[in-house]
Amino acid sequence: EVQLVESGGGLVQPGRSLKLSCAASGFTFSNYGMAWVRQTPTKGLEWVASISTGGGNTYYRDSVKGRFTISRDNAKNTQYLQMDSLRSEDTATYYCARQSRSSHWFAYWGQGTLVTVSS
Amino acid sequence: DVQMTQSPSNLAASPGESVSINCKASKSISKYLAWYQQKPGKANKLLIYSGSTLQSGTPSRFSGSGSGTDFTLTIRNLEPEDFGLYYCQQHNEYPDTFGAGTKLELK
């Protein structure tokens, strides 16, 4: 059974950093691209970042470029999202998602971890 | 970025009825559209990808159609478990973008 379990969310002050983790199981992690998607009540679902199977290719939405870094450790079956210079508009539930092998729809999602950026 | 306009925002129906949800892209995305179901306390569920391909495990009462800019998700013979939120997503180009969602409620 495919499982994606996020961790690392919480309350953080504007300008500070937070690192999210996503532990994967039930599939060969190194064979799939991975992504982070966030959701707020006002903006809905927003793709944040994606990473290729080996980690050599990364993609970001414009609003997080230069502030967020997606990475993965295939030996640990885990992907990460390092979030620096956090802003109030980054407040959201962050989901880990597995991409398909041929395109970037998301066949599996985690349950999400809440990040709240507030002073 | 490709803007995805999803309609209607809300939909009320009864079990056994059929409903359709529409998604319009701001430019052609070929066939590359996915549909998801979201329910409280559960992981998002992929229903359809590439416009009309059912994900393994998706009941046959779900169908997807369309290409280019206009797409439709149709659910026939609604079951009680079908009520929830539905989102479309274009997976033709980065950044991936989603529709605003449709809340399917019990009438």
Side-chain angles (χ1 to χ4, degrees):
Chain A
E1 180 194 5
V2 172
Q3 284 200 311
L4 299 171
V5 180
E6 304 94 339
S7 60
L11 174 64
V12 62
Q13 293 179 327
R16 303 298 290 260
S17 298
L18 203 61
K19 187 172 185 176
L20 306 182
S21 299
C22 170
S25 61
F27 65 100
T28 304
F29 183 70
S30 58
N31 284 353
Y32 291 87
M34 298 295 294
W36 290 94
V37 178
R38 66 188 181 186
Q39 185 173 27
T40 65
T42 50
K43 291 185 180 179
L45 288 165
E46 281 189 335
W47 168 80
V48 175
S50 291
I51 187 167
S52 60
T53 53
N57 294 306
T58 55
Y59 310 87
Y60 299 92
R61 70 179 300 105
D62 284 348
S63 61
V64 308
K65 276 181 190 173
R67 301 188 300 120
F68 289 12
T69 304
I70 188 171
S71 62
R72 63 190 295 161
D73 184 337
N74 286 344
K76 294 184 177 180
N77 292 341
T78 302
Q79 74 155 345
Y80 305 97
L81 186 67
Q82 175 69 43
M83 304 186 292
D84 299 325
S85 302
L86 281 161
R87 306 168 180 167
S88 58
E89 54 265 35
D90 297 317
T91 294
T93 296
Y94 284 74
Y95 296 101
C96 170
R98 192 190 89 176
Q99 293 182 314
S100 77
R101 296 186 74 166
S102 57
S103 183
H104 35 103
W105 69 79
F106 307 113
Y108 294 96
W109 299 63
Q111 298 260 20
T113 187
L114 178 62
V115 172
T116 303
V117 184
S118 174
S119 54
Chain B
D1 299 2
V2 180
Q3 306 302 317
M4 304 303 296
T5 303
Q6 191 173 336
S7 62
S9 301
N10 295 282
L11 190 52
S14 301
E17 291 183 344
S18 297
V19 296
S20 292
I21 300 170
N22 301 299
C23 205
K24 187 174 185 67
S26 60
K27 67 177 191 180
S28 177
I29 56 171
S30 185
K31 64 177 181 178
Y32 298 112
L33 187 96
W35 291 98
Y36 302 90
Q37 180 190 64
Q38 186 176 67
K39 301 184 86 169
K42 292 190 173 184
N44 293 341
K45 183 180 179 183
L46 171 69
L47 299 170
I48 288 169
Y49 60 91
S50 293
S52 60
T53 304
L54 263 60
Q55 169 71 349
S56 175
T58 299
S60 58
R61 63 180 180 273
F62 289 85
S63 64
S65 63
S67 64
T69 60
D70 293 287
F71 297 84
T72 300
L73 171 69
T74 300
I75 314 171
R76 293 186 168 79
N77 295 322
L78 279 166
E79 296 280 348
E81 61 266 29
D82 297 337
F83 294 93
L85 279 161
Y86 290 83
Y87 293 92
C88 62
Q89 175 225 350
Q90 66 84 15
H91 56 91
N92 184 56
E93 62 181 59
Y94 284 121
D96 296 340
T97 45
F98 293 84
T102 295
K103 187 174 185 179
L104 176 58
E105 297 178 295
L106 185 63
K107 189 187 290 183

